[in-house]
Amino acid sequence: MERISWDQYFMAQSHLLALRSTCERLTVGATIVRDKRIIAGGYNGSVSGDSHCIEEGCYVVDGHCVRTVHAEANALLQCAKFGAPAEGSEMYVTHFPCLHCCKTIIQSGVKTVYYAADYKNDPYAVELFRQSGVHTKKVELEDNTIDVNPVEKASYIETLLNKLEGTSLDRSQLDEFKDEAKRLFNVQKG
């Protein structure tokens, strides 16, 4: 078995962190690394003790959910809270940082930002990263590393099974497909 690369490993950690997100608009995770060791992690969610978007909906002002602290900021705040300097570290984030997070990342001393997906890449953020010497690199998570689309895959399988329902497929074979889909994806309908 071939081991995954460090970049894939840390990006997978960020995708796992994103699964803790409480904002319904976009799930984001960020991992801060120094010398191949994770020093902090964060996901986008509400301020401690406040209501979460998944409970009360997003609080949107000017097209942004203001209830949410971004994953990058939460990871950097975790560094500050526990006395782990971010100076000279690397950040792995599931999506390209917004302009506000870009400025926070630069000010914290992070030297490299690895991101898995482009997301409304602000041209000024791109320029600020360049001017400040913060290197950015796209590192998409490979499919064999971690499944980042399980809900979409389950929905697709469910749709296929429902379409097979109206065909001449043998009922026992269809039941076998449904049982296997339920086992693999926890598909309930059909």
Side-chain angles (χ1 to χ4, degrees):
M1 179 178 96
E2 186 176 326
R3 293 182 351 165
I4 63 174
S5 70
W6 284 111
D7 286 344
Q8 289 294 300
Y9 173 75
F10 294 126
M11 194 57 74
Q13 294 294 322
S14 294
H15 280 280
L16 286 172
L17 282 163
L19 295 174
R20 291 281 305 153
S21 174
T22 61
C23 187
E24 297 177 317
R25 295 174 54 113
L26 185 67
T27 60
V28 180
T31 304
I32 300 177
V33 175
R34 184 182 305 105
D35 299 324
K36 304 281 186 259
R37 300 291 180 260
I38 296 171
I39 61 171
Y43 52 88
N44 56 331
S46 300
V47 172
S48 296
D50 193 17
S51 300
H52 295 285
C53 300
I54 58 175
E55 298 165 348
E56 295 191 15
C58 292
Y59 181 18
V60 179
V61 176
D62 295 330
H64 299 282
C65 179
V66 297
R67 185 185 311 274
T68 300
V69 179
H70 289 191
E72 302 92 327
N74 267 328
L76 290 166
L77 289 166
Q78 189 178 76
C79 282
K81 187 174 186 176
F82 295 106
E87 182 73 36
S89 66
E90 301 172 315
M91 180 181 284
Y92 289 80
V93 63
T94 57
H95 296 78
F96 191 86
C98 72
L99 178 58
H100 296 293
C101 287
C102 161
K103 294 185 282 186
T104 304
I105 290 166
I106 291 168
Q107 290 300 97
S108 71
V110 170
K111 67 179 181 178
T112 306
V113 175
Y114 299 94
Y115 62 99
D118 292 299
Y119 182 73
K120 301 180 182 180
N121 300 24
D122 187 291
Y124 186 48
V126 172
E127 179 62 18
L128 283 176
F129 278 139
R130 189 192 64 71
Q131 284 177 4
S132 65
V134 173
H135 180 67
T136 59
K137 181 179 177 185
K138 189 171 188 177
V139 176
E140 295 181 56
L141 191 63
E142 295 174 7
D143 290 338
N144 65 349
T145 306
I146 186 172
D147 187 356
V148 294
N149 299 308
V151 173
E152 293 86 352
K153 288 177 182 176
S155 177
Y156 181 72
I157 293 298
E158 184 176 333
T159 300
L160 286 175
L161 290 172
N162 287 337
K163 288 186 182 216
L164 284 174
E165 189 80 41
T167 69
S168 61
L169 185 67
D170 179 79
R171 185 69 198 182
S172 65
Q173 193 173 18
L174 180 60
D175 288 341
E176 287 176 23
F177 288 150
K178 287 180 180 182
D179 289 343
E180 185 65 4
K182 185 175 182 180
R183 184 185 73 76
L184 290 171
F185 297 101
N186 199 25
V187 174
Q188 299 297 322
K189 295 180 182 176

